[in-house]
Amino acid sequence: MNTPPFAQLSWSEDGQPFSTRFDDVYFSRESGLAETRHVFLQHNDLSRRWRALPPGTRFCIGETGFGTGLNFLCAWQLWDELAPADARLHFVSCEKYPLRREDLQRALALWTELTPWADQLLAQYSDLAPGWQHFNLADGRVTLTLLIGDVLDTLPQLDARVDAWFLDGFAPARNPDMWQPALYAQLARLSAPSATLATFTSVGEVRRGLQAVGFEMRKVKGYGRKREMLCGTLAGAGAAAWSAPWLARPESPAGERSALIVGAGLAGCATALALARRGWQVTLIERHDRAAAEASGNTQGILYCKLSAHQTPLSRYVQASYAFGLRLLHQILPQGQDSWQACGVLQLCTDDRERQRQLALAEQGYPESFLCAVDADQASTLAGVAVNRPGLFFPGAGWVHPPSLCRAMLQHGNIRLLTRSEAMSLQHRDGEWQALDDKGRSLARASVAVICSANDSQRFAQTAELPLKPIRGQVTQLPATSSSKTLKTVLCAEGYISPARHDEHHVGASFRFDRLDTEPSSEENHSNLQLIGQLSPELAGHLQLETLDADRLPARAALRCTSPDYLPLIGPVVDAQAFRERYAELAKDASRQPTAPAPWYPGLYINAGHGSRGMISCPLSGELIAAWLNDEPLPLPADVVAAVHPTRFMLRRLIRGR
């Protein structure tokens, strides 16, 4: 297995970390705290700027080397002291070689002054897999997005507007691969007007490189024995390269920050929580008498993280969502028989080809706390029952009771759940969206509307052309036996079976396009029972399947919602007819670069099409919607954002001449 790309450290006698890879210190031997405050906080003028922030604003810091997190924690401490209570700090940092959790904890123990902030970070920090890692801290007042990978690969994928840069990282002589003109160009591209920058180095090549992209740079007194350092302000960047207007950010709606969300399943509840944490007043409209009444209402949802060794957009979306979803679960939902259990998930291979795919994935350099390949004997030990196939083990995964998660997400004072109310249409009038029932009566109104109605999202005129499709899935409920309760992990391959919850296992789920009702069928019960023998013949014996009447077993059928490419639809909604007219030239020549702004419906978004991955994919989808609406750094790479963007299908049809 490839070694995960973690920092390689040695420790001095006084407990300070040293990078053996770069032969350099992480911070000043004299005082890392004082150095950070002098270089990055003082010379980005953060104290003055944060005292002057208006209420409800956002501020974004970008950083080029997270290291021990010292700069982040110092900034967070100062933010708590000076910024308005309802302001939000966004900290985006690149790191090619993240610290293991135990090393981070050891390093941060040096700074007892920062313990209140370090403890919050450590509570969510684990050995990080490559990719984008999103953290929601201080109940949403602070977000941290770590871009784990080479800075010259990750920054070009960032969509953000940075107000201040911490240009950190090991010294240019030790880390020449980072200090490149390509990096300086990205800093300029991502900077807000008059963005500031500070760095500990005073190397002339760095100063000239930053000046070349529009920063006015000056030398100032360095920290301690270091004579000089650099700081600067963006005076004027060069002309921006063309970017697709249908992926640009719509203007934020004016007026009060209020939102109506149609649909209280996992997607709707996650969107409501993300907005509520940012101070929005949210009305969640649900036609049933409770949240999570349809596809999100199963008893045990599985945290099933199926990835690809080829790092497709779907795989990267699932991986980022899985990591964030686990953080959210640990934050808001105590583990237990009623709610969820991080019991681990075993993905057993189905054939030799699948085994090769799994082994290729395990060779990607993931930490073992994220996934590891196991043989059949190891899998049997982990599962507590004999299995005869090798597979992948995800130790942090498990099962969740989706209604409990939805209820937990709705426990925020800014969220109002409106049940037994069915929105049949949406109307935009006088700068507001109204949700109307079948008699044209207004159920709710707000400046923003988010459609989270799964397959029923097509009932609204604004989203009727989006290619959503239903898939029926049935889960069968089995009585646990004393022997079957030895199952310790979720087992999955073509289907899955869960460990017992309240003396019941759940097995499923069917996958049907030909039947779109929700009445349980004995046929699907029979099919689900057959899955158990394929997963573990021993477990099938423990469950005494031969004594069960499949026709009488309790089951639950529901309709999932997916798209033709099996990626969700998350983002702003355009007027489809106006889109075709405005970009008609693409039908003749797809290489053209139109500049006309996309015909957005003002303040209208969609979050739907999560299919069977909703347990994993929905929590981060809410963060993505909130980032769009609040002009925040997007929590996913730009190409992944484009892959889930609702306009992708209109664009494809237009180019193909349909």
Side-chain angles (χ1 to χ4, degrees), residues 541-572:
H542 290 342
L543 288 164
Q544 302 170 15
L545 297 185
E546 70 281 357
T547 68
L548 301 177
D549 184 351
D551 296 337
R552 296 180 179 274
L553 284 173
R556 187 176 191 274
L559 298 180
R560 315 177 190 98
C561 171
T562 190
S563 71
D565 59 12
Y566 295 98
L567 279 158
L569 285 77
I570 312 165

PDB file of all heavy atoms in Angstrom, residues 541-572:
ATOM      1  N   GLY A 541     -27.572 -18.705   8.173  1.00  0.00           N
ATOM      2  CA  GLY A 541     -27.968 -19.759   9.102  1.00  0.00           C
ATOM      3  C   GLY A 541     -28.373 -19.211  10.456  1.00  0.00           C
ATOM      4  O   GLY A 541     -29.356 -19.661  11.056  1.00  0.00           O
ATOM      5  N   HIS A 542     -27.613 -18.225  10.957  1.00  0.00           N
ATOM      6  CA  HIS A 542     -27.961 -17.609  12.250  1.00  0.00           C
ATOM      7  C   HIS A 542     -29.368 -17.024  12.226  1.00  0.00           C
ATOM      8  O   HIS A 542     -30.084 -17.044  13.234  1.00  0.00           O
ATOM      9  CB  HIS A 542     -26.960 -16.501  12.588  1.00  0.00           C
ATOM     10  CG  HIS A 542     -25.590 -16.984  12.937  1.00  0.00           C
ATOM     11  ND1 HIS A 542     -25.314 -18.273  13.310  1.00  0.00           N
ATOM     12  CD2 HIS A 542     -24.385 -16.312  12.961  1.00  0.00           C
ATOM     13  CE1 HIS A 542     -24.015 -18.396  13.568  1.00  0.00           C
ATOM     14  NE2 HIS A 542     -23.432 -17.213  13.351  1.00  0.00           N
ATOM     15  N   LEU A 543     -29.755 -16.475  11.088  1.00  0.00           N
ATOM     16  CA  LEU A 543     -31.067 -15.827  10.983  1.00  0.00           C
ATOM     17  C   LEU A 543     -32.208 -16.824  10.753  1.00  0.00           C
ATOM     18  O   LEU A 543     -33.376 -16.419  10.738  1.00  0.00           O
ATOM     19  CB  LEU A 543     -31.046 -14.806   9.839  1.00  0.00           C
ATOM     20  CG  LEU A 543     -30.242 -13.532  10.120  1.00  0.00           C
ATOM     21  CD1 LEU A 543     -29.945 -12.790   8.834  1.00  0.00           C
ATOM     22  CD2 LEU A 543     -31.007 -12.628  11.085  1.00  0.00           C
ATOM     23  N   GLN A 544     -31.859 -18.093  10.555  1.00  0.00           N
ATOM     24  CA  GLN A 544     -32.868 -19.145  10.355  1.00  0.00           C
ATOM     25  C   GLN A 544     -33.834 -18.754   9.225  1.00  0.00           C
ATOM     26  O   GLN A 544     -35.049 -18.767   9.369  1.00  0.00           O
ATOM     27  CB  GLN A 544     -33.634 -19.411  11.660  1.00  0.00           C
ATOM     28  CG  GLN A 544     -32.733 -19.813  12.811  1.00  0.00           C
ATOM     29  CD  GLN A 544     -33.440 -19.853  14.149  1.00  0.00           C
ATOM     30  OE1 GLN A 544     -34.677 -19.848  14.222  1.00  0.00           O
ATOM     31  NE2 GLN A 544     -32.664 -19.886  15.217  1.00  0.00           N
ATOM     32  N   LEU A 545     -33.236 -18.416   8.098  1.00  0.00           N
ATOM     33  CA  LEU A 545     -34.046 -17.917   6.982  1.00  0.00           C
ATOM     34  C   LEU A 545     -35.081 -18.925   6.521  1.00  0.00           C
ATOM     35  O   LEU A 545     -36.164 -18.538   6.052  1.00  0.00           O
ATOM     36  CB  LEU A 545     -33.130 -17.543   5.806  1.00  0.00           C
ATOM     37  CG  LEU A 545     -32.132 -16.410   6.038  1.00  0.00           C
ATOM     38  CD1 LEU A 545     -31.403 -16.082   4.745  1.00  0.00           C
ATOM     39  CD2 LEU A 545     -32.819 -15.168   6.592  1.00  0.00           C
ATOM     40  N   GLU A 546     -34.758 -20.218   6.671  1.00  0.00           N
ATOM     41  CA  GLU A 546     -35.695 -21.228   6.185  1.00  0.00           C
ATOM     42  C   GLU A 546     -36.995 -21.237   6.978  1.00  0.00           C
ATOM     43  O   GLU A 546     -38.019 -21.753   6.510  1.00  0.00           O
ATOM     44  CB  GLU A 546     -35.036 -22.619   6.226  1.00  0.00           C
ATOM     45  CG  GLU A 546     -34.813 -23.190   7.616  1.00  0.00           C
ATOM     46  CD  GLU A 546     -33.582 -22.614   8.320  1.00  0.00           C
ATOM     47  OE1 GLU A 546     -32.875 -21.810   7.682  1.00  0.00           O
ATOM     48  OE2 GLU A 546     -33.347 -22.960   9.490  1.00  0.00           O
ATOM     49  N   THR A 547     -36.979 -20.644   8.152  1.00  0.00           N
ATOM     50  CA  THR A 547     -38.205 -20.613   8.970  1.00  0.00           C
ATOM     51  C   THR A 547     -39.029 -19.355   8.733  1.00  0.00           C
ATOM     52  O   THR A 547     -40.126 -19.233   9.283  1.00  0.00           O
ATOM     53  CB  THR A 547     -37.848 -20.696  10.460  1.00  0.00           C
ATOM     54  OG1 THR A 547     -37.179 -19.484  10.851  1.00  0.00           O
ATOM     55  CG2 THR A 547     -36.942 -21.896  10.735  1.00  0.00           C
ATOM     56  N   LEU A 548     -38.500 -18.407   7.961  1.00  0.00           N
ATOM     57  CA  LEU A 548     -39.190 -17.133   7.764  1.00  0.00           C
ATOM     58  C   LEU A 548     -40.097 -17.183   6.544  1.00  0.00           C
ATOM     59  O   LEU A 548     -39.738 -17.784   5.521  1.00  0.00           O
ATOM     60  CB  LEU A 548     -38.176 -15.999   7.598  1.00  0.00           C
ATOM     61  CG  LEU A 548     -37.191 -15.784   8.763  1.00  0.00           C
ATOM     62  CD1 LEU A 548     -36.210 -14.672   8.429  1.00  0.00           C
ATOM     63  CD2 LEU A 548     -37.947 -15.451  10.054  1.00  0.00           C
ATOM     64  N   ASP A 549     -41.238 -16.549   6.655  1.00  0.00           N
ATOM     65  CA  ASP A 549     -42.177 -16.444   5.538  1.00  0.00           C
ATOM     66  C   ASP A 549     -41.944 -15.088   4.866  1.00  0.00           C
ATOM     67  O   ASP A 549     -42.364 -14.049   5.373  1.00  0.00           O
ATOM     68  CB  ASP A 549     -43.616 -16.555   6.041  1.00  0.00           C
ATOM     69  CG  ASP A 549     -44.633 -16.546   4.903  1.00  0.00           C
ATOM     70  OD1 ASP A 549     -44.234 -16.282   3.744  1.00  0.00           O
ATOM     71  OD2 ASP A 549     -45.829 -16.780   5.177  1.00  0.00           O
ATOM     72  N   ALA A 550     -41.255 -15.102   3.729  1.00  0.00           N
ATOM     73  CA  ALA A 550     -40.908 -13.848   3.053  1.00  0.00           C
ATOM     74  C   ALA A 550     -42.135 -13.041   2.679  1.00  0.00           C
ATOM     75  O   ALA A 550     -42.080 -11.813   2.585  1.00  0.00           O
ATOM     76  CB  ALA A 550     -40.073 -14.141   1.815  1.00  0.00           C
ATOM     77  N   ASP A 551     -43.254 -13.731   2.463  1.00  0.00           N
ATOM     78  CA  ASP A 551     -44.467 -13.008   2.073  1.00  0.00           C
ATOM     79  C   ASP A 551     -45.027 -12.179   3.228  1.00  0.00           C
ATOM     80  O   ASP A 551     -45.815 -11.258   3.010  1.00  0.00           O
ATOM     81  CB  ASP A 551     -45.534 -13.993   1.590  1.00  0.00           C
ATOM     82  CG  ASP A 551     -45.105 -14.729   0.329  1.00  0.00           C
ATOM     83  OD1 ASP A 551     -44.238 -14.188  -0.386  1.00  0.00           O
ATOM     84  OD2 ASP A 551     -45.620 -15.825   0.074  1.00  0.00           O
ATOM     85  N   ARG A 552     -44.654 -12.530   4.453  1.00  0.00           N
ATOM     86  CA  ARG A 552     -45.220 -11.847   5.619  1.00  0.00           C
ATOM     87  C   ARG A 552     -44.216 -10.953   6.351  1.00  0.00           C
ATOM     88  O   ARG A 552     -44.577 -10.285   7.317  1.00  0.00           O
ATOM     89  CB  ARG A 552     -45.777 -12.886   6.603  1.00  0.00           C
ATOM     90  CG  ARG A 552     -46.941 -13.681   6.046  1.00  0.00           C
ATOM     91  CD  ARG A 552     -47.448 -14.689   7.057  1.00  0.00           C
ATOM     92  NE  ARG A 552     -48.578 -15.433   6.535  1.00  0.00           N
ATOM     93  CZ  ARG A 552     -49.847 -15.029   6.611  1.00  0.00           C
ATOM     94  NH1 ARG A 552     -50.131 -13.882   7.195  1.00  0.00           N
ATOM     95  NH2 ARG A 552     -50.823 -15.756   6.112  1.00  0.00           N
ATOM     96  N   LEU A 553     -43.001 -10.960   5.912  1.00  0.00           N
ATOM     97  CA  LEU A 553     -42.006 -10.131   6.588  1.00  0.00           C
ATOM     98  C   LEU A 553     -42.323  -8.647   6.399  1.00  0.00           C
ATOM     99  O   LEU A 553     -42.665  -8.215   5.296  1.00  0.00           O
ATOM    100  CB  LEU A 553     -40.608 -10.419   6.031  1.00  0.00           C
ATOM    101  CG  LEU A 553     -39.943 -11.717   6.474  1.00  0.00           C
ATOM    102  CD1 LEU A 553     -38.642 -11.928   5.704  1.00  0.00           C
ATOM    103  CD2 LEU A 553     -39.659 -11.702   7.980  1.00  0.00           C
ATOM    104  N   PRO A 554     -42.193  -7.857   7.456  1.00  0.00           N
ATOM    105  CA  PRO A 554     -42.412  -6.413   7.294  1.00  0.00           C
ATOM    106  C   PRO A 554     -41.344  -5.793   6.403  1.00  0.00           C
ATOM    107  O   PRO A 554     -40.177  -6.219   6.408  1.00  0.00           O
ATOM    108  CB  PRO A 554     -42.325  -5.874   8.727  1.00  0.00           C
ATOM    109  CG  PRO A 554     -41.620  -6.922   9.504  1.00  0.00           C
ATOM    110  CD  PRO A 554     -41.887  -8.238   8.839  1.00  0.00           C
ATOM    111  N   ALA A 555     -41.740  -4.822   5.610  1.00  0.00           N
ATOM    112  CA  ALA A 555     -40.821  -4.166   4.675  1.00  0.00           C
ATOM    113  C   ALA A 555     -41.266  -2.735   4.460  1.00  0.00           C
ATOM    114  O   ALA A 555     -42.405  -2.358   4.776  1.00  0.00           O
ATOM    115  CB  ALA A 555     -40.777  -4.920   3.351  1.00  0.00           C
ATOM    116  N   ARG A 556     -40.343  -1.951   3.923  1.00  0.00           N
ATOM    117  CA  ARG A 556     -40.648  -0.551   3.603  1.00  0.00           C
ATOM    118  C   ARG A 556     -40.114  -0.250   2.216  1.00  0.00           C
ATOM    119  O   ARG A 556     -38.937  -0.488   1.929  1.00  0.00           O
ATOM    120  CB  ARG A 556     -40.015   0.393   4.625  1.00  0.00           C
ATOM    121  CG  ARG A 556     -40.421   1.853   4.458  1.00  0.00           C
ATOM    122  CD  ARG A 556     -39.813   2.710   5.572  1.00  0.00           C
ATOM    123  NE  ARG A 556     -40.390   4.034   5.577  1.00  0.00           N
ATOM    124  CZ  ARG A 556     -39.974   5.047   4.835  1.00  0.00           C
ATOM    125  NH1 ARG A 556     -38.943   4.879   4.015  1.00  0.00           N
ATOM    126  NH2 ARG A 556     -40.560   6.229   4.896  1.00  0.00           N
ATOM    127  N   ALA A 557     -40.992   0.258   1.348  1.00  0.00           N
ATOM    128  CA  ALA A 557     -40.594   0.647  -0.005  1.00  0.00           C
ATOM    129  C   ALA A 557     -40.718   2.159  -0.150  1.00  0.00           C
ATOM    130  O   ALA A 557     -41.647   2.773   0.389  1.00  0.00           O
ATOM    131  CB  ALA A 557     -41.458  -0.052  -1.044  1.00  0.00           C
ATOM    132  N   ALA A 558     -39.766   2.750  -0.847  1.00  0.00           N
ATOM    133  CA  ALA A 558     -39.783   4.198  -1.079  1.00  0.00           C
ATOM    134  C   ALA A 558     -39.122   4.476  -2.415  1.00  0.00           C
ATOM    135  O   ALA A 558     -38.453   3.610  -2.995  1.00  0.00           O
ATOM    136  CB  ALA A 558     -39.060   4.934   0.046  1.00  0.00           C
ATOM    137  N   LEU A 559     -39.310   5.700  -2.899  1.00  0.00           N
ATOM    138  CA  LEU A 559     -38.732   6.096  -4.183  1.00  0.00           C
ATOM    139  C   LEU A 559     -37.540   7.017  -3.953  1.00  0.00           C
ATOM    140  O   LEU A 559     -37.677   8.103  -3.393  1.00  0.00           O
ATOM    141  CB  LEU A 559     -39.784   6.808  -5.047  1.00  0.00           C
ATOM    142  CG  LEU A 559     -41.010   5.982  -5.437  1.00  0.00           C
ATOM    143  CD1 LEU A 559     -41.949   6.819  -6.291  1.00  0.00           C
ATOM    144  CD2 LEU A 559     -40.604   4.708  -6.173  1.00  0.00           C
ATOM    145  N   ARG A 560     -36.386   6.556  -4.366  1.00  0.00           N
ATOM    146  CA  ARG A 560     -35.223   7.435  -4.397  1.00  0.00           C
ATOM    147  C   ARG A 560     -35.315   8.302  -5.648  1.00  0.00           C
ATOM    148  O   ARG A 560     -36.079   8.029  -6.556  1.00  0.00           O
ATOM    149  CB  ARG A 560     -33.935   6.627  -4.451  1.00  0.00           C
ATOM    150  CG  ARG A 560     -33.842   5.435  -3.515  1.00  0.00           C
ATOM    151  CD  ARG A 560     -32.530   4.728  -3.775  1.00  0.00           C
ATOM    152  NE  ARG A 560     -32.394   3.432  -3.122  1.00  0.00           N
ATOM    153  CZ  ARG A 560     -32.613   2.270  -3.714  1.00  0.00           C
ATOM    154  NH1 ARG A 560     -33.017   2.237  -4.981  1.00  0.00           N
ATOM    155  NH2 ARG A 560     -32.443   1.135  -3.070  1.00  0.00           N
ATOM    156  N   CYS A 561     -34.473   9.313  -5.677  1.00  0.00           N
ATOM    157  CA  CYS A 561     -34.439  10.202  -6.846  1.00  0.00           C
ATOM    158  C   CYS A 561     -33.001  10.324  -7.303  1.00  0.00           C
ATOM    159  O   CYS A 561     -32.092  10.549  -6.501  1.00  0.00           O
ATOM    160  CB  CYS A 561     -34.990  11.571  -6.455  1.00  0.00           C
ATOM    161  SG  CYS A 561     -34.774  12.849  -7.713  1.00  0.00           S
ATOM    162  N   THR A 562     -32.787  10.161  -8.616  1.00  0.00           N
ATOM    163  CA  THR A 562     -31.431  10.285  -9.137  1.00  0.00           C
ATOM    164  C   THR A 562     -31.467  10.996 -10.481  1.00  0.00           C
ATOM    165  O   THR A 562     -32.527  11.426 -10.948  1.00  0.00           O
ATOM    166  CB  THR A 562     -30.757   8.908  -9.243  1.00  0.00           C
ATOM    167  OG1 THR A 562     -29.370   9.085  -9.536  1.00  0.00           O
ATOM    168  CG2 THR A 562     -31.398   8.060 -10.325  1.00  0.00           C
ATOM    169  N   SER A 563     -30.313  11.131 -11.104  1.00  0.00           N
ATOM    170  CA  SER A 563     -30.192  11.820 -12.389  1.00  0.00           C
ATOM    171  C   SER A 563     -29.547  10.864 -13.391  1.00  0.00           C
ATOM    172  O   SER A 563     -29.035   9.805 -13.014  1.00  0.00           O
ATOM    173  CB  SER A 563     -29.327  13.071 -12.231  1.00  0.00           C
ATOM    174  OG  SER A 563     -27.971  12.706 -12.014  1.00  0.00           O
ATOM    175  N   PRO A 564     -29.520  11.204 -14.676  1.00  0.00           N
ATOM    176  CA  PRO A 564     -28.920  10.303 -15.666  1.00  0.00           C
ATOM    177  C   PRO A 564     -27.456   9.965 -15.409  1.00  0.00           C
ATOM    178  O   PRO A 564     -27.000   8.879 -15.776  1.00  0.00           O
ATOM    179  CB  PRO A 564     -29.091  11.068 -16.981  1.00  0.00           C
ATOM    180  CG  PRO A 564     -30.299  11.910 -16.762  1.00  0.00           C
ATOM    181  CD  PRO A 564     -30.234  12.327 -15.319  1.00  0.00           C
ATOM    182  N   ASP A 565     -26.690  10.870 -14.796  1.00  0.00           N
ATOM    183  CA  ASP A 565     -25.282  10.566 -14.525  1.00  0.00           C
ATOM    184  C   ASP A 565     -25.047  10.158 -13.071  1.00  0.00           C
ATOM    185  O   ASP A 565     -23.907  10.033 -12.631  1.00  0.00           O
ATOM    186  CB  ASP A 565     -24.374  11.736 -14.914  1.00  0.00           C
ATOM    187  CG  ASP A 565     -24.713  13.031 -14.184  1.00  0.00           C
ATOM    188  OD1 ASP A 565     -25.500  12.989 -13.209  1.00  0.00           O
ATOM    189  OD2 ASP A 565     -24.205  14.094 -14.590  1.00  0.00           O
ATOM    190  N   TYR A 566     -26.134   9.982 -12.327  1.00  0.00           N
ATOM    191  CA  TYR A 566     -26.106   9.516 -10.935  1.00  0.00           C
ATOM    192  C   TYR A 566     -25.387  10.465  -9.986  1.00  0.00           C
ATOM    193  O   TYR A 566     -25.011  10.086  -8.883  1.00  0.00           O
ATOM    194  CB  TYR A 566     -25.527   8.093 -10.847  1.00  0.00           C
ATOM    195  CG  TYR A 566     -26.421   7.098 -11.542  1.00  0.00           C
ATOM    196  CD1 TYR A 566     -26.143   6.675 -12.846  1.00  0.00           C
ATOM    197  CD2 TYR A 566     -27.574   6.622 -10.931  1.00  0.00           C
ATOM    198  CE1 TYR A 566     -26.982   5.789 -13.506  1.00  0.00           C
ATOM    199  CE2 TYR A 566     -28.427   5.733 -11.586  1.00  0.00           C
ATOM    200  CZ  TYR A 566     -28.124   5.319 -12.870  1.00  0.00           C
ATOM    201  OH  TYR A 566     -28.962   4.454 -13.520  1.00  0.00           O
ATOM    202  N   LEU A 567     -25.217  11.696 -10.406  1.00  0.00           N
ATOM    203  CA  LEU A 567     -24.750  12.752  -9.523  1.00  0.00           C
ATOM    204  C   LEU A 567     -25.936  13.620  -9.139  1.00  0.00           C
ATOM    205  O   LEU A 567     -26.875  13.797  -9.932  1.00  0.00           O
ATOM    206  CB  LEU A 567     -23.685  13.605 -10.223  1.00  0.00           C
ATOM    207  CG  LEU A 567     -22.268  13.044 -10.226  1.00  0.00           C
ATOM    208  CD1 LEU A 567     -21.451  13.653 -11.353  1.00  0.00           C
ATOM    209  CD2 LEU A 567     -21.588  13.318  -8.890  1.00  0.00           C
ATOM    210  N   PRO A 568     -25.933  14.185  -7.934  1.00  0.00           N
ATOM    211  CA  PRO A 568     -27.053  15.043  -7.539  1.00  0.00           C
ATOM    212  C   PRO A 568     -27.067  16.363  -8.301  1.00  0.00           C
ATOM    213  O   PRO A 568     -26.118  16.694  -9.026  1.00  0.00           O
ATOM    214  CB  PRO A 568     -26.803  15.270  -6.044  1.00  0.00           C
ATOM    215  CG  PRO A 568     -25.337  15.075  -5.876  1.00  0.00           C
ATOM    216  CD  PRO A 568     -24.933  14.041  -6.878  1.00  0.00           C
ATOM    217  N   LEU A 569     -28.136  17.108  -8.131  1.00  0.00           N
ATOM    218  CA  LEU A 569     -28.272  18.452  -8.695  1.00  0.00           C
ATOM    219  C   LEU A 569     -28.283  19.428  -7.528  1.00  0.00           C
ATOM    220  O   LEU A 569     -29.229  19.456  -6.736  1.00  0.00           O
ATOM    221  CB  LEU A 569     -29.556  18.592  -9.505  1.00  0.00           C
ATOM    222  CG  LEU A 569     -29.581  17.936 -10.897  1.00  0.00           C
ATOM    223  CD1 LEU A 569     -29.780  16.432 -10.779  1.00  0.00           C
ATOM    224  CD2 LEU A 569     -30.708  18.523 -11.740  1.00  0.00           C
ATOM    225  N   ILE A 570     -27.227  20.231  -7.430  1.00  0.00           N
ATOM    226  CA  ILE A 570     -27.073  21.145  -6.295  1.00  0.00           C
ATOM    227  C   ILE A 570     -26.607  22.494  -6.821  1.00  0.00           C
ATOM    228  O   ILE A 570     -25.502  22.600  -7.367  1.00  0.00           O
ATOM    229  CB  ILE A 570     -26.031  20.622  -5.289  1.00  0.00           C
ATOM    230  CG1 ILE A 570     -26.262  19.152  -4.951  1.00  0.00           C
ATOM    231  CG2 ILE A 570     -26.061  21.462  -4.015  1.00  0.00           C
ATOM    232  CD1 ILE A 570     -25.079  18.507  -4.258  1.00  0.00           C
ATOM    233  N   GLY A 571     -27.447  23.510  -6.677  1.00  0.00           N
ATOM    234  CA  GLY A 571     -27.007  24.828  -7.100  1.00  0.00           C
ATOM    235  C   GLY A 571     -28.150  25.696  -7.583  1.00  0.00           C
ATOM    236  O   GLY A 571     -29.328  25.355  -7.450  1.00  0.00           O
ATOM    237  N   PRO A 572     -27.815  26.841  -8.187  1.00  0.00           N
ATOM    238  CA  PRO A 572     -28.821  27.794  -8.643  1.00  0.00           C
ATOM    239  C   PRO A 572     -29.527  27.300  -9.900  1.00  0.00           C
ATOM    240  O   PRO A 572     -28.992  26.490 -10.655  1.00  0.00           O
ATOM    241  CB  PRO A 572     -28.012  29.067  -8.922  1.00  0.00           C
ATOM    242  CG  PRO A 572     -26.628  28.567  -9.218  1.00  0.00           C
ATOM    243  CD  PRO A 572     -26.436  27.341  -8.395  1.00  0.00           C
TER     244      PRO A 572
END
